[in-house]
Amino acid sequence: MNEATSPALITGANRGIGAAIAERLAPRRPVLATARTIPVPSPIDGVEWLGLDAADPGAFDRLEQHLDGRPVGLLVCNAGVFLDRHENLADGFPSKMWAETFAVNVTGVFLTVQALLPSLQAAAGLHGHARIAVIASQMGSSARAGGSSYIYRASKAAAVNLARNLALDLEGLGIAVAAYHPGWVRTDMGGAQADISVAESAAGLVAQFEALSPETTGRFLTWDGREMPF
């Protein structure tokens, strides 16, 4: 059976990079996409929408129950927040902001993988492998520390570390895992002065997802396939 017959599931797909990935994948395979609020303002043809608030631990049990072991060949953990862009070291970065960011950017990734594990294993059994793509950032690379945005940087560093460790534990199940820097993208998060368009980032990321395999698991790559330092 062709791997593309199993759906891809993309979290946080109602806008930005997640929406562009969903649009690019929809003509190729079934796509499940999550958003905090359903229905979404701009639905995408061929995409089935599911409600998921990545900051709500109970939402993942509901997602797992909804899927009920349905095979998912590709999981894209894209949902994320960047709340501390304008904080200052003297009196910013409140503890609540740390908790909110990590709940989505780190715990949310782990709980998504945990909820999808039966579905990923089902796809691996059908096709020989399944894939998990964690959308991280070069701001999570310790080798590229740039100062400021401490909460976001720490959360993305944790997400990269999580992807690396999941790759080791899931390799024996035929599930490949990698983390990806999507580039500096012209989105609400990236800003108008960013380097590349959403479409360019999504096209590159999808190509990298398709190249992910048990032989290449555990890597941290850019949207165009370059190795990122951990």
Side-chain angles (χ1 to χ4, degrees):
M1 184 181 293
N2 190 310
E3 187 265 344
T5 60
S6 288
L9 189 146
I10 307 156
T11 64
N14 54 304
R15 62 181 180 176
I17 294 168
I21 292 171
E23 289 175 347
R24 191 159 192 91
L25 287 175
R28 310 181 187 194
R29 65 190 302 164
V31 173
L32 310 174
T34 78
R36 281 181 293 181
T37 303
I38 301 296
V40 296
S42 302
I44 301 166
D45 288 344
V47 172
E48 178 184 343
W49 290 95
L50 306 172
L52 178 69
D53 181 350
D56 174 12
F60 298 94
D61 290 336
R62 293 190 291 273
L63 178 63
E64 182 178 2
Q65 291 167 9
H66 178 85
L67 291 171
D68 194 26
R70 179 182 178 185
V72 171
L74 169 64
L75 169 61
V76 182
C77 296
N78 170 74
V81 295
F82 188 173
L83 304 180
D84 62 323
R85 187 190 309 272
H86 303 298
E87 295 295 304
N88 65 81
L89 183 56
D91 58 6
F93 305 99
S95 59
K96 182 179 179 182
M97 190 176 289
W98 282 90
E100 290 174 350
T101 300
F102 270 71
V104 177
N105 292 4
V106 186
T107 308
V109 172
F110 176 79
L111 293 177
T112 302
V113 172
Q114 191 174 54
L116 268 290
L117 194 54
S119 293
L120 291 162
Q121 288 183 266
L126 287 172
H127 313 299
H129 67 272
R131 304 179 175 109
I132 300 172
V134 177
I135 304 302
S137 170
Q138 68 179 2
M139 291 175 71
S141 168
S142 297
R144 295 198 175 192
S148 72
S149 301
Y150 304 112
I151 302 175
Y152 183 77
R153 290 181 187 277
S155 73
K156 289 302 184 179
V160 171
N161 181 276
L162 178 59
R164 178 75 166 169
N165 283 282
L166 284 169
L168 293 172
D169 285 340
L170 297 179
E171 186 174 8
L173 299 178
I175 301 171
V177 188
Y180 298 92
H181 167 54
W184 186 20
V185 187
R186 292 188 289 273
T187 62
D188 291 343
M189 185 180 290
Q193 303 304 313
D195 290 334
I196 61 173
S197 69
V198 174
E200 188 175 5
S201 174
L205 287 169
V206 168
Q208 298 311 312
F209 302 161
E210 292 176 345
L212 178 59
S213 71
E215 291 71 38
T216 61
T217 193
R219 301 170 75 188
F220 182 17
L221 300 172
T222 64
W223 63 279
D224 54 356
R226 290 172 287 127
E227 295 280 350
M228 282 292 301
F230 290 93

